[in-house]
mmCIF file of all heavy atoms in Angstrom:
data_model
loop_
_atom_site.group_PDB
_atom_site.id
_atom_site.type_symbol
_atom_site.label_atom_id
_atom_site.label_comp_id
_atom_site.label_asym_id
_atom_site.label_seq_id
_atom_site.Cartn_x
_atom_site.Cartn_y
_atom_site.Cartn_z
ATOM 1 N N ASP A 1 124.288 80.333 25.763
ATOM 2 C CA ASP A 1 123.580 79.690 24.651
ATOM 3 C C ASP A 1 122.642 80.642 23.912
ATOM 4 O O ASP A 1 121.665 80.215 23.303
ATOM 5 C CB ASP A 1 122.793 78.474 25.155
ATOM 6 C CG ASP A 1 121.567 78.850 25.978
ATOM 7 O OD1 ASP A 1 121.482 80.010 26.440
ATOM 8 O OD2 ASP A 1 120.681 77.988 26.163
ATOM 9 N N ASN A 2 122.943 81.936 23.942
ATOM 10 C CA ASN A 2 122.081 82.908 23.260
ATOM 11 C C ASN A 2 122.894 83.754 22.279
ATOM 12 O O ASN A 2 122.899 84.980 22.350
ATOM 13 C CB ASN A 2 121.390 83.803 24.288
ATOM 14 C CG ASN A 2 120.240 84.579 23.681
ATOM 15 O OD1 ASN A 2 119.621 84.150 22.710
ATOM 16 N ND2 ASN A 2 119.951 85.747 24.244
ATOM 17 N N PRO A 3 123.588 83.107 21.346
ATOM 18 C CA PRO A 3 124.469 83.849 20.444
ATOM 19 C C PRO A 3 123.702 84.647 19.400
ATOM 20 O O PRO A 3 122.608 84.265 18.967
ATOM 21 C CB PRO A 3 125.282 82.739 19.777
ATOM 22 C CG PRO A 3 124.369 81.562 19.774
ATOM 23 C CD PRO A 3 123.610 81.661 21.072
ATOM 24 N N SER A 4 124.278 85.749 19.005
ATOM 25 C CA SER A 4 123.752 86.553 17.904
ATOM 26 C C SER A 4 124.912 87.324 17.298
ATOM 27 O O SER A 4 125.911 87.592 17.964
ATOM 28 C CB SER A 4 122.652 87.504 18.387
ATOM 29 O OG SER A 4 123.127 88.324 19.441
ATOM 30 N N ALA A 5 124.780 87.659 16.048
ATOM 31 C CA ALA A 5 125.836 88.387 15.359
ATOM 32 C C ALA A 5 125.228 89.143 14.191
ATOM 33 O O ALA A 5 124.132 88.810 13.714
ATOM 34 C CB ALA A 5 126.929 87.439 14.875
ATOM 35 N N TYR A 6 125.921 90.166 13.742
ATOM 36 C CA TYR A 6 125.462 90.934 12.583
ATOM 37 C C TYR A 6 125.757 90.131 11.321
ATOM 38 O O TYR A 6 126.907 89.857 10.987
ATOM 39 C CB TYR A 6 126.179 92.284 12.538
ATOM 40 C CG TYR A 6 125.795 93.143 11.358
ATOM 41 C CD1 TYR A 6 124.514 93.660 11.232
ATOM 42 C CD2 TYR A 6 126.726 93.430 10.359
ATOM 43 C CE1 TYR A 6 124.160 94.455 10.156
ATOM 44 C CE2 TYR A 6 126.387 94.228 9.282
ATOM 45 C CZ TYR A 6 125.098 94.732 9.167
ATOM 46 O OH TYR A 6 124.754 95.513 8.093
ATOM 47 N N ILE A 7 124.686 89.711 10.644
ATOM 48 C CA ILE A 7 124.771 88.849 9.463
ATOM 49 C C ILE A 7 125.678 87.654 9.775
ATOM 50 O O ILE A 7 126.489 87.214 8.967
ATOM 51 C CB ILE A 7 125.222 89.639 8.211
ATOM 52 C CG1 ILE A 7 124.378 90.930 8.090
ATOM 53 C CG2 ILE A 7 125.065 88.801 6.936
ATOM 54 C CD1 ILE A 7 124.606 91.722 6.828
ATOM 55 N N GLY A 8 125.545 87.148 11.001
ATOM 56 C CA GLY A 8 126.249 85.955 11.429
ATOM 57 C C GLY A 8 127.743 86.116 11.580
ATOM 58 O O GLY A 8 128.448 85.132 11.808
ATOM 59 N N SER A 9 128.251 87.364 11.508
ATOM 60 C CA SER A 9 129.688 87.549 11.337
ATOM 61 C C SER A 9 130.385 88.377 12.399
ATOM 62 O O SER A 9 131.558 88.120 12.706
ATOM 63 C CB SER A 9 129.955 88.208 9.976
ATOM 64 O OG SER A 9 129.347 87.502 8.926
ATOM 65 N N ALA A 10 129.729 89.404 12.931
ATOM 66 C CA ALA A 10 130.430 90.373 13.776
ATOM 67 C C ALA A 10 129.605 90.707 15.016
ATOM 68 O O ALA A 10 128.365 90.736 14.969
ATOM 69 C CB ALA A 10 130.716 91.649 12.984
ATOM 70 N N VAL A 11 130.331 90.995 16.130
ATOM 71 C CA VAL A 11 129.708 91.293 17.415
ATOM 72 C C VAL A 11 130.314 92.584 17.968
ATOM 73 O O VAL A 11 131.547 92.732 17.955
ATOM 74 C CB VAL A 11 129.942 90.143 18.424
ATOM 75 C CG1 VAL A 11 129.259 90.428 19.754
ATOM 76 C CG2 VAL A 11 129.449 88.817 17.845
ATOM 77 N N PRO A 12 129.504 93.528 18.455
ATOM 78 C CA PRO A 12 130.059 94.766 19.030
ATOM 79 C C PRO A 12 131.003 94.465 20.185
ATOM 80 O O PRO A 12 130.756 93.559 20.982
ATOM 81 C CB PRO A 12 128.812 95.519 19.520
ATOM 82 C CG PRO A 12 127.670 94.949 18.758
ATOM 83 C CD PRO A 12 128.026 93.519 18.498
ATOM 84 N N GLY A 13 132.090 95.212 20.258
ATOM 85 C CA GLY A 13 133.038 95.023 21.344
ATOM 86 C C GLY A 13 134.126 94.011 21.042
ATOM 87 O O GLY A 13 135.004 93.772 21.881
ATOM 88 N N PHE A 14 134.089 93.427 19.843
ATOM 89 C CA PHE A 14 135.085 92.424 19.452
ATOM 90 C C PHE A 14 135.684 92.827 18.106
ATOM 91 O O PHE A 14 135.313 92.268 17.057
ATOM 92 C CB PHE A 14 134.458 91.026 19.417
ATOM 93 C CG PHE A 14 134.029 90.539 20.770
ATOM 94 C CD1 PHE A 14 132.799 90.930 21.302
ATOM 95 C CD2 PHE A 14 134.852 89.745 21.537
ATOM 96 C CE1 PHE A 14 132.402 90.521 22.566
ATOM 97 C CE2 PHE A 14 134.466 89.324 22.802
ATOM 98 C CZ PHE A 14 133.238 89.721 23.327
ATOM 99 N N PRO A 15 136.585 93.807 18.125
ATOM 100 C CA PRO A 15 137.149 94.323 16.871
ATOM 101 C C PRO A 15 137.919 93.251 16.102
ATOM 102 O O PRO A 15 138.569 92.385 16.698
ATOM 103 C CB PRO A 15 138.105 95.430 17.349
ATOM 104 C CG PRO A 15 137.731 95.708 18.761
ATOM 105 C CD PRO A 15 137.174 94.442 19.303
ATOM 106 N N ASN A 16 137.803 93.323 14.791
ATOM 107 C CA ASN A 16 138.596 92.462 13.902
ATOM 108 C C ASN A 16 138.404 90.968 14.187
ATOM 109 O O ASN A 16 139.268 90.144 13.895
ATOM 110 C CB ASN A 16 140.092 92.806 14.006
ATOM 111 C CG ASN A 16 140.406 94.219 13.530
ATOM 112 O OD1 ASN A 16 139.512 95.033 13.341
ATOM 113 N ND2 ASN A 16 141.676 94.510 13.347
ATOM 114 N N PHE A 17 137.253 90.635 14.766
ATOM 115 C CA PHE A 17 136.915 89.239 15.059
ATOM 116 C C PHE A 17 135.665 88.867 14.274
ATOM 117 O O PHE A 17 134.662 89.601 14.303
ATOM 118 C CB PHE A 17 136.654 89.057 16.556
ATOM 119 C CG PHE A 17 136.080 87.704 16.915
ATOM 120 C CD1 PHE A 17 136.888 86.571 16.918
ATOM 121 C CD2 PHE A 17 134.735 87.555 17.238
ATOM 122 C CE1 PHE A 17 136.371 85.325 17.242
ATOM 123 C CE2 PHE A 17 134.202 86.319 17.563
ATOM 124 C CZ PHE A 17 135.024 85.204 17.569
ATOM 125 N N PHE A 18 135.739 87.739 13.572
ATOM 126 C CA PHE A 18 134.631 87.338 12.710
ATOM 127 C C PHE A 18 134.337 85.850 12.865
ATOM 128 O O PHE A 18 135.257 85.036 12.992
ATOM 129 C CB PHE A 18 134.974 87.642 11.245
ATOM 130 C CG PHE A 18 135.356 89.074 11.019
ATOM 131 C CD1 PHE A 18 136.694 89.437 10.943
ATOM 132 C CD2 PHE A 18 134.396 90.066 10.926
ATOM 133 C CE1 PHE A 18 137.070 90.764 10.756
ATOM 134 C CE2 PHE A 18 134.751 91.395 10.748
ATOM 135 C CZ PHE A 18 136.088 91.748 10.660
ATOM 136 N N THR A 19 133.060 85.517 12.865
ATOM 137 C CA THR A 19 132.641 84.120 12.959
ATOM 138 C C THR A 19 132.136 83.661 11.597
ATOM 139 O O THR A 19 131.303 84.325 10.973
ATOM 140 C CB THR A 19 131.523 83.941 14.003
ATOM 141 O OG1 THR A 19 130.387 84.741 13.636
ATOM 142 C CG2 THR A 19 131.996 84.342 15.378
ATOM 143 N N ILE A 20 132.667 82.547 11.134
ATOM 144 C CA ILE A 20 132.177 81.939 9.898
ATOM 145 C C ILE A 20 131.231 80.812 10.288
ATOM 146 O O ILE A 20 131.543 80.000 11.151
ATOM 147 C CB ILE A 20 133.336 81.396 9.045
ATOM 148 C CG1 ILE A 20 134.370 82.496 8.787
ATOM 149 C CG2 ILE A 20 132.816 80.847 7.723
ATOM 150 C CD1 ILE A 20 135.600 82.020 8.035
ATOM 151 N N LEU A 21 130.091 80.767 9.634
ATOM 152 C CA LEU A 21 129.002 79.876 10.035
ATOM 153 C C LEU A 21 128.618 80.181 11.484
ATOM 154 O O LEU A 21 128.503 79.307 12.329
ATOM 155 C CB LEU A 21 129.376 78.408 9.863
ATOM 156 C CG LEU A 21 128.220 77.406 9.911
ATOM 157 C CD1 LEU A 21 127.177 77.729 8.861
ATOM 158 C CD2 LEU A 21 128.720 75.981 9.721
ATOM 159 N N GLY A 22 128.437 81.471 11.749
ATOM 160 C CA GLY A 22 128.084 81.926 13.080
ATOM 161 C C GLY A 22 126.588 81.850 13.315
ATOM 162 O O GLY A 22 125.860 81.120 12.618
ATOM 163 N N PRO A 23 126.083 82.610 14.279
ATOM 164 C CA PRO A 23 124.662 82.548 14.622
ATOM 165 C C PRO A 23 123.759 82.864 13.431
ATOM 166 O O PRO A 23 124.022 83.778 12.648
ATOM 167 C CB PRO A 23 124.524 83.623 15.707
ATOM 168 C CG PRO A 23 125.891 83.751 16.294
ATOM 169 C CD PRO A 23 126.837 83.520 15.166
ATOM 170 N N ASN A 24 122.705 82.084 13.294
ATOM 171 C CA ASN A 24 121.654 82.313 12.295
ATOM 172 C C ASN A 24 122.171 82.360 10.867
ATOM 173 O O ASN A 24 121.693 83.139 10.034
ATOM 174 C CB ASN A 24 120.875 83.599 12.612
ATOM 175 C CG ASN A 24 120.176 83.542 13.950
ATOM 176 O OD1 ASN A 24 120.533 84.258 14.892
ATOM 177 N ND2 ASN A 24 119.184 82.667 14.074
ATOM 178 N N VAL A 25 123.134 81.490 10.574
ATOM 179 C CA VAL A 25 123.627 81.359 9.201
ATOM 180 C C VAL A 25 123.248 80.011 8.607
ATOM 181 O O VAL A 25 123.018 79.895 7.403
ATOM 182 C CB VAL A 25 125.156 81.556 9.137
ATOM 183 C CG1 VAL A 25 125.696 81.248 7.738
ATOM 184 C CG2 VAL A 25 125.525 82.984 9.519
ATOM 185 N N GLY A 26 123.144 78.980 9.437
ATOM 186 C CA GLY A 26 122.787 77.661 8.943
ATOM 187 C C GLY A 26 121.435 77.660 8.259
ATOM 188 O O GLY A 26 120.632 78.591 8.399
ATOM 189 N N LEU A 27 121.170 76.590 7.504
ATOM 190 C CA LEU A 27 119.928 76.495 6.723
ATOM 191 C C LEU A 27 119.007 75.451 7.334
ATOM 192 O O LEU A 27 119.328 74.267 7.325
ATOM 193 C CB LEU A 27 120.250 76.136 5.278
ATOM 194 C CG LEU A 27 121.188 77.107 4.553
ATOM 195 C CD1 LEU A 27 121.529 76.575 3.174
ATOM 196 C CD2 LEU A 27 120.547 78.479 4.455
ATOM 197 N N GLY A 28 117.886 75.882 7.851
ATOM 198 C CA GLY A 28 116.935 74.957 8.444
ATOM 199 C C GLY A 28 116.004 74.351 7.428
ATOM 200 O O GLY A 28 115.433 73.278 7.648
ATOM 201 N N HIS A 29 115.819 75.032 6.289
ATOM 202 C CA HIS A 29 114.884 74.509 5.295
ATOM 203 C C HIS A 29 115.608 73.727 4.207
ATOM 204 O O HIS A 29 115.100 73.539 3.102
ATOM 205 C CB HIS A 29 114.032 75.630 4.701
ATOM 206 C CG HIS A 29 114.784 76.735 4.016
ATOM 207 N ND1 HIS A 29 115.576 77.628 4.690
ATOM 208 C CD2 HIS A 29 114.848 77.098 2.720
ATOM 209 C CE1 HIS A 29 116.084 78.499 3.835
ATOM 210 N NE2 HIS A 29 115.665 78.193 2.634
ATOM 211 N N GLY A 30 116.798 73.253 4.529
ATOM 212 C CA GLY A 30 117.529 72.402 3.606
ATOM 213 C C GLY A 30 118.526 73.195 2.785
ATOM 214 O O GLY A 30 118.658 74.405 2.910
ATOM 215 N N GLY A 31 119.230 72.483 1.946
ATOM 216 C CA GLY A 31 120.156 73.156 1.050
ATOM 217 C C GLY A 31 121.593 73.038 1.480
ATOM 218 O O GLY A 31 121.934 72.315 2.401
ATOM 219 N N SER A 32 122.441 73.781 0.780
ATOM 220 C CA SER A 32 123.874 73.630 0.943
ATOM 221 C C SER A 32 124.450 74.612 1.946
ATOM 222 O O SER A 32 124.472 75.821 1.708
ATOM 223 C CB SER A 32 124.574 73.821 -0.405
ATOM 224 O OG SER A 32 125.970 73.818 -0.247
ATOM 225 N N MET A 33 124.946 74.069 3.046
ATOM 226 C CA MET A 33 125.642 74.890 4.029
ATOM 227 C C MET A 33 126.881 75.528 3.417
ATOM 228 O O MET A 33 127.305 76.623 3.798
ATOM 229 C CB MET A 33 126.026 74.024 5.221
ATOM 230 C CG MET A 33 126.457 74.794 6.439
ATOM 231 S SD MET A 33 125.047 75.415 7.344
ATOM 232 C CE MET A 33 124.494 73.923 8.169
ATOM 233 N N ILE A 34 127.463 74.841 2.445
ATOM 234 C CA ILE A 34 128.707 75.335 1.865
ATOM 235 C C ILE A 34 128.487 76.637 1.114
ATOM 236 O O ILE A 34 129.323 77.550 1.167
ATOM 237 C CB ILE A 34 129.339 74.262 0.964
ATOM 238 C CG1 ILE A 34 129.770 73.078 1.830
ATOM 239 C CG2 ILE A 34 130.524 74.823 0.187
ATOM 240 C CD1 ILE A 34 130.436 71.958 1.079
ATOM 241 N N LYS A 35 127.373 76.760 0.429
ATOM 242 C CA LYS A 35 127.113 78.021 -0.266
ATOM 243 C C LYS A 35 126.972 79.159 0.740
ATOM 244 O O LYS A 35 127.476 80.264 0.516
ATOM 245 C CB LYS A 35 125.862 77.928 -1.131
ATOM 246 C CG LYS A 35 125.636 79.186 -1.966
ATOM 247 C CD LYS A 35 124.614 78.991 -3.051
ATOM 248 C CE LYS A 35 124.581 80.199 -3.976
ATOM 249 N NZ LYS A 35 123.639 80.017 -5.099
ATOM 250 N N ALA A 36 126.293 78.901 1.850
ATOM 251 C CA ALA A 36 126.157 79.925 2.887
ATOM 252 C C ALA A 36 127.527 80.317 3.430
ATOM 253 O O ALA A 36 127.810 81.496 3.684
ATOM 254 C CB ALA A 36 125.251 79.424 4.012
#
């Protein structure tokens, strides 16, 4: 339960693997998740 990623997208050791809406991408202060 301690995920982190570079700009929410990439993790060292996992080539060519990308997370969309990954760690620390969501919006806590409101707004459109879709734009993110």
Side-chain angles (χ1 to χ4, degrees):
D1 72 343
N2 194 27
S4 56
Y6 179 67
I7 312 186
S9 307
V11 182
F14 294 83
N16 296 13
F17 171 75
F18 305 99
T19 60
I20 306 176
L21 195 57
N24 299 112
V25 173
L27 302 175
H29 59 291
S32 174
M33 194 80 77
I34 294 181
K35 185 166 188 177

